[in-house]
Amino acid sequence: MAKYNLKVAHFYGDLMNTYGDIGNIIALKYYGKQMDTDITSDIVSIGDDFDDQQYDLAVFGGGQDYEQMVISKDIPHKKEAIARFINGGKPFLAICGGFQLLGQYYVDANGEKIPGIGVLSHYTVTQSSHRSAMQNQTRFIGDIVIKNPQNGDLYHGFENHNGRTFLGDDEQPLGIVQEGHGNNGEDKTEGAIYKHTYCSYFHGPILTRNGNLAKQMLLEALHNKYPNEDFSKQESLIIKPTF
Ligand code: GLN
């Protein structure tokens, strides 16, 4: 038995799992072991209540426009608890479609406006609504590398999205694009950071390829849950980038 334990809410894990985003949970378990921490997770899906008090971390994967439309009808019931979770500084990882649904709205490839819960301030539009026959040419698809401006970490991933996301004033990008497209192909931003919520278009999954981010989220959750413990041993597992 590990000394610590953390519980992950896996939002719509049965519907949102593009390119095996569930690997993010596996990565949290893997790094949890190195940090003397047991990780358990529950899928929180359609019709389920979300009791934010029960969870220390949250993960929300990517998905297709159809699934996003279905989820947009359920997620408003969880909005208040998700807002409390995020604004209370608990770590939350939202990928691609999950990233879009935490924001204000997403205009899908057919030009349909799918409402988000607006807990985060970004919004997402489409380039392909007027030329859906060319949708494949307008998706952002390929390998991507970004640099986190706060700590110099380089993150590697694979992006495949129609949506173009624009950040709000209270959000920072997860990274600056070095290679690839990022949020919108215009402003070099990729993903978002708000408090301890990390959003990204990265699949791969992001935490299996970028262990520092997994460790950072676990440390934040440990500090929240065990405020009087010394986690310097766990902190030493973070690999310092050479700028
Ligand atoms: N359906 C969304 C888009 O195309 C999200 C895609 C994803 O989650 N990979 O932008």
Side-chain angles (χ1 to χ4, degrees):
M1 266 265 287
K3 187 163 176 199
Y4 309 104
N5 62 80
L6 296 171
K7 200 163 168 190
V8 183
H10 187 189
F11 282 102
Y12 306 99
D14 50 347
L15 296 168
M16 301 286 272
N17 185 29
T18 301
Y19 302 116
D21 284 337
I22 194 172
N24 290 316
I25 307 265
I26 297 169
L28 289 172
K29 289 186 178 168
Y30 174 81
Y31 290 110
K33 239 180 221 160
Q34 299 180 5
M35 295 185 166
D36 203 5
T37 303
D38 273 334
I39 307 290
T40 52
S41 66
D42 290 334
I43 288 184
V44 180
S45 192
I46 306 284
D48 296 337
D49 279 332
F50 172 51
D51 177 0
D52 53 300
Q53 296 300 323
Q54 279 197 40
Y55 296 96
D56 309 299
L57 288 137
V59 170
F60 191 176
Q64 310 301 310
D65 291 0
Y66 178 75
E67 278 80 11
Q68 286 180 245
M69 183 65 86
V70 172
I71 289 167
S72 73
K73 299 193 167 73
D74 179 84
I75 197 167
H77 304 298
K78 302 173 175 58
K79 173 182 169 166
E80 241 177 79
I82 293 175
R84 243 189 339 259
F85 188 96
I86 286 178
N87 287 315
K90 291 187 173 178
F92 194 130
L93 176 73
I95 302 299
C96 213
F99 172 21
Q100 294 168 353
L101 283 164
L102 291 186
Q104 298 185 56
Y105 57 84
Y106 163 50
V107 180
D108 74 11
N110 297 319
E112 296 271 339
K113 191 168 180 176
I114 301 179
I117 52 172
V119 172
L120 301 186
S121 55
H122 57 267
Y123 63 91
T124 305
V125 295
T126 182
Q127 289 284 307
S128 54
S129 55
H130 306 298
R131 35 186 179 145
S132 46
M134 286 174 63
Q135 191 191 335
N136 286 338
Q137 279 99 314
T138 63
R139 290 186 76 84
F140 286 161
I141 304 173
D143 290 324
I144 172 161
V145 182
I146 62 172
K147 187 170 188 165
N148 180 323
Q150 290 173 357
N151 60 20
D153 268 354
L154 276 184
Y155 302 132
H156 296 259
F158 176 80
E159 59 181 335
N160 181 353
H161 52 111
N162 159 67
R164 270 62 164 164
T165 297
F166 294 87
L167 300 182
D169 290 342
D170 58 355
E171 296 175 302
Q172 301 295 316
L174 178 65
I176 304 300
V177 174
Q178 315 291 302
E179 277 168 47
H181 301 284
N183 284 340
N184 51 52
E186 292 169 25
D187 64 12
K188 293 271 175 202
T189 65
E190 203 294 317
I193 303 178
Y194 173 79
K195 299 199 172 190
H196 291 153
T197 293
Y198 303 92
C199 300
S200 177
Y201 275 109
F202 279 34
H203 300 286
I206 188 169
L207 297 186
T208 61
R209 292 186 70 182
N210 305 283
N212 266 3
L213 185 58
K215 294 178 218 171
Q216 185 180 325
M217 292 184 71
L218 287 167
L219 273 166
E220 287 161 355
L222 286 169
H223 281 299
N224 283 341
K225 185 162 180 187
Y226 305 97
N228 300 319
E229 290 281 317
D230 174 13
F231 289 113
S232 42
K233 214 178 102 210
Q234 281 81 354
E235 258 145 37
S236 70
L237 293 169
I238 300 230
I239 297 160
K240 298 269 179 298
T242 42
F243 270 83

